[in-house]
Amino acid sequence: MRRITMKTLQQRVDMLNRMANLSDNIWHEGKMVPGMFVLDAAYGGYRLCQIVTAGGGERDITGRAGARETYELINAFIDGYQFKNKVA
């Protein structure tokens, strides 16, 4: 089993943003881009969040978890986007 690093998690978040047709750049004209998914890392854990205001307000998508569990949760979102696109 390979090690899940913060870089690995960030790559998955970037993929999720691309699938949602969002930019890889969180900033646009000095403001944050609402709708962007971001990775929050603190206290040895991670969680997936989403920017909801141009001022940087965000909502938690997942709870705080270890790297592997967060990786699996992000992959579930990616699988959901892929499923939606196949069905639609």
Side-chain angles (χ1 to χ4, degrees), residues 2-69:
R2 72 178 199 167
R3 185 168 182 250
I4 303 299
T5 64
M6 188 167 177
K7 181 179 177 181
T8 306
L9 292 172
Q10 188 58 56
Q11 289 171 340
R12 300 310 284 174
V13 171
D14 292 344
M15 180 180 199
L16 184 58
N17 280 321
R18 283 191 302 275
M19 292 177 81
N21 294 320
L22 297 167
S23 168
D24 282 340
N25 190 355
I26 196 167
W27 295 97
H28 179 71
E29 297 179 1
K31 296 182 180 179
M32 293 183 115
V33 179
M36 291 280 301
F37 293 100
V38 294
L39 181 65
D40 176 61
Y43 311 110
Y46 305 91
R47 68 177 160 209
L48 179 65
C49 298
Q50 187 175 34
I51 302 297
V52 293
T53 68
E58 59 183 50
R59 69 182 180 120
D60 299 338
I61 303 294
T62 67
R64 190 166 308 283
R68 181 153 310 275
E69 186 177 356

Side-chain angles (χ1 to χ4, degrees), residues 52-82:
V52 293
T53 68
E58 59 183 50
R59 69 182 180 120
D60 299 338
I61 303 294
T62 67
R64 190 166 308 283
R68 181 153 310 275
E69 186 177 356
T70 303
Y71 179 81
E72 296 300 332
L73 291 167
I74 294 169
N75 282 338
F77 272 82
I78 290 170
D79 290 346
Y81 271 102
Q82 290 173 337

